[in-house]
Amino acid sequence: MPKPTIAILILMACLIGASNRVSFAQSPASPQQSLTPTPPMGWASWNPFFCDYNEQTIRDQADALVATGMRDLGYKYVLVQECIAPAREASGELILDPIRFPHGMKSLVDYIHSRGLKAGAYTDVGPYTCFPKPHYQGSYGHELQDARTFASWGIDFIEMDYCNRNPEHTGREIYERMAAAIQETGRPMLLYICSWGNESPWTWAQGKAQLWRTDADISYRKNQVDWMHVVAGFKSNALHAVFNAPDSWNDPDMLEVGNGGLNMIEAQTHFSMWAISAAPLWAGTDLTKMTGEVRKIYTNPEVIAVDQDPFGAGPVKVAENSVGLEIWSKPLGSMASGTDAVLLLNLTDTAADVALRWSDLNLTGKIRIRDLYSHKDIASQPEGYRTHLPPHGSAMLKVSGTYMWSKGAIFEAEWPGNLRKEDSALLTCASCSQGYAISLHGPKDPLNTASLEFTHVVAPESGKYHLTLYYVDSHLITDKLQLRVNDGTPIPVHLFSFINGFESLPIVLKKGNNTLTFTYSDAAGTSVNIDKIQIYK
């Protein structure tokens, strides 16, 4: 939540061009892991109030989460953002704003907890937060001290902004110091990296934080947002969809549903965009003043279920009828499950038909369609589905059929739900399918091997399948790469000296979940770079 100035708008760093290794090591089990198996949900103070709030404001919003039924639908977190501590004691301890918090933060947090909710606090990588005048304290140089203070208050969630960063240190350094400090406290607190997409946190923050901003704020005005900024936030966030997974959430910013600048059609589309993105759902409006229409959007259980799907996949644009008429989907339950959430969008300024073909989803057979806003099943159509949408309108569907395994199911190597150990790293790669690969390095210790385990490979039935491994930047011929399917015997995968290539081999999968583990044991200084696998039936 950077300060409202155009100067802090940043460009996303997704496609980096030539291959370049960056650290993406998975951390050992820690108090921060497994806290967010699905995207966190709650209410956040900045959009509706900026710094015009006090402790009673926060209590009222907590009460509204309960009274509206939002808490029981998953909106658990109450985030107090900005303008918390204007100074420090000589010891470095934070001094709360006595006017804003006359009873102290512990009292407020206790009240939030008493309502069956969780409490979030705000800080910054710099010595000061983003609010320009007066200054409020950031955590630079006080990471451990502040983490202990937050823990003593009973805080469950820490948002760390990116303003006033010391140029001698990267944001990553400060965020990693805070992550280590949170672990040291022993209290399980979520860490939200609000770096506006700077330093590409999706490439390194797994195991340290649970969520990270992927771009700049979608608005710098209180209670007001521009429709085009909502669309831009959705699309830039989708560039990193492959990094969405349990405990690994891309955040396109807080929701503006209920604020000025959006009509109700646009507000519903905004909410649908965030839900299909598996985005954290932060209601960023004054809940005590919600209209019935706004409340109906926030409390739609079928759309929330799409956001909270346990597989945690991000969205992919599967078709575009013409400019501005787009179709996005995400698999539900597992990759190639045969069930997808589908969002049909009319981003133009005139009413138009949007048409979905079942082949866009790789589905066949009897198709079942559910409209998630009318809460009704729709009669199936032979080749697809067509609907008429108003300007900036949308349709949110749940579509089920038989997945066409004959066309192949793709599993990306860099998906955070996969498991890696020993010598492996993320590789940025312009020629790769999603811009990344996983590099398995020849181990320094001959007793260890680099490995990549594809998890959640769910097969519809037991039997023979065909696997194609896609690899990049290979300059060697090797038989030191092996594949083990489930607990079976490892088999060699022979690579040839093509810069980019693929290798195909038969495999046997069991019905349900399978794991496919690639290990590499060639000499130190060599590597195999895996882009993806594709499995056919």
Side-chain angles (χ1 to χ4, degrees), residues 202-350:
W202 50 88
T203 66
W204 53 264
Q206 286 83 2
K208 304 175 181 71
Q210 290 74 33
L211 61 158
W212 36 83
R213 181 78 72 75
T214 52
D215 210 330
D217 290 15
I218 60 172
S219 176
Y220 297 115
R221 295 177 292 167
K222 186 196 299 184
N223 288 319
Q224 191 78 16
V225 70
D226 184 276
W227 161 251
M228 294 309 298
H229 291 168
V230 172
V231 175
F234 165 67
K235 291 195 171 186
S236 64
N237 187 73
L239 294 172
H240 314 295
V242 70
F243 292 107
N244 262 47
D247 295 305
S248 175
W249 305 112
N250 295 318
D251 178 36
D253 199 10
M254 295 164 283
L255 288 157
E256 297 274 3
V257 174
N259 295 337
L262 301 180
N263 60 40
M264 293 312 301
I265 290 172
E266 293 165 338
Q268 179 172 300
T269 298
H270 175 21
F271 191 73
S272 300
M273 286 172 167
W274 265 232
I276 203 167
S277 300
L281 298 182
W282 306 121
T285 194
D286 185 346
L287 301 180
T288 68
K289 297 179 180 179
M290 278 195 301
T291 65
E293 289 178 300
V294 169
R295 177 177 172 177
K296 189 175 181 180
I297 292 173
Y298 274 122
T299 58
N300 184 323
E302 294 190 71
V303 178
I304 290 172
V306 169
D307 179 81
Q308 296 290 295
D309 180 70
F311 184 51
V316 175
K317 186 166 70 171
V318 296
E320 187 167 12
N321 296 170
S322 61
V323 175
L325 304 179
E326 301 178 358
I327 299 167
W328 294 74
S329 75
K330 64 172 278 182
L332 300 176
S334 64
M335 192 66 68
S337 65
T339 300
D340 295 294
V342 182
L343 179 61
L344 286 70
L345 292 175
N346 176 11
L347 302 179
T348 74
D349 295 331
T350 57

Side-chain angles (χ1 to χ4, degrees), residues 129-145:
T129 65
C130 297
F131 199 75
K133 267 187 183 181
H135 280 314
Y136 289 85
Q137 297 297 306
S139 289
Y140 175 70
H142 295 273
E143 293 84 11
L144 180 56
Q145 188 173 32

Side-chain angles (χ1 to χ4, degrees), residues 467-472 474 476-483 490-498 500-506 518-520 522 527-530:
L467 179 147
T468 300
L469 168 71
Y470 292 85
Y471 58 93
V472 296
S474 176
L476 73 164
I477 298 174
T478 181
D479 59 359
K480 300 298 183 181
L481 181 69
Q482 293 190 319
L483 168 64
I491 57 175
V493 181
H494 296 280
L495 302 186
F496 300 93
S497 56
F498 301 118
N500 297 328
F502 60 89
E503 177 66 18
S504 299
L505 63 158
F518 290 90
T519 58
Y520 181 61
D522 213 341
S527 63
V528 167
N529 307 317
I530 299 176

Side-chain angles (χ1 to χ4, degrees), residues 83-240:
C83 305
I84 292 174
R88 292 183 183 272
E89 297 177 356
S91 64
E93 291 296 317
L94 292 169
I95 299 175
L96 287 177
D97 185 321
I99 297 175
R100 190 168 279 115
F101 304 103
H103 298 96
M105 188 63 78
K106 181 68 165 62
S107 173
L108 177 58
V109 170
D110 286 347
Y111 183 80
I112 292 169
H113 287 164
S114 76
R115 304 298 279 148
L117 300 164
K118 296 178 181 293
Y122 169 91
T123 187
D124 192 273
V125 298
Y128 302 109
T129 65
C130 297
F131 199 75
K133 267 187 183 181
H135 280 314
Y136 289 85
Q137 297 297 306
S139 289
Y140 175 70
H142 295 273
E143 293 84 11
L144 180 56
Q145 188 173 32
D146 287 357
R148 288 171 174 168
T149 296
F150 296 148
S152 73
W153 292 343
I155 291 295
D156 306 290
F157 180 108
I158 299 171
E159 176 182 357
M160 201 169 196
D161 221 328
Y162 195 73
C163 290
N164 305 305
R165 178 179 59 83
N166 184 327
E168 296 182 0
H169 298 273
T170 65
R172 176 174 177 174
E173 290 178 70
I174 310 306
Y175 288 120
E176 289 183 341
R177 290 211 300 250
M178 179 57 81
I182 291 171
Q183 291 188 38
E184 196 276 341
T185 69
R187 180 172 179 79
M189 296 183 282
L190 274 63
L191 177 59
Y192 170 29
I193 294 176
C194 190
S195 68
W196 329 319
N198 285 309
E199 303 186 35
S200 305
W202 50 88
T203 66
W204 53 264
Q206 286 83 2
K208 304 175 181 71
Q210 290 74 33
L211 61 158
W212 36 83
R213 181 78 72 75
T214 52
D215 210 330
D217 290 15
I218 60 172
S219 176
Y220 297 115
R221 295 177 292 167
K222 186 196 299 184
N223 288 319
Q224 191 78 16
V225 70
D226 184 276
W227 161 251
M228 294 309 298
H229 291 168
V230 172
V231 175
F234 165 67
K235 291 195 171 186
S236 64
N237 187 73
L239 294 172
H240 314 295

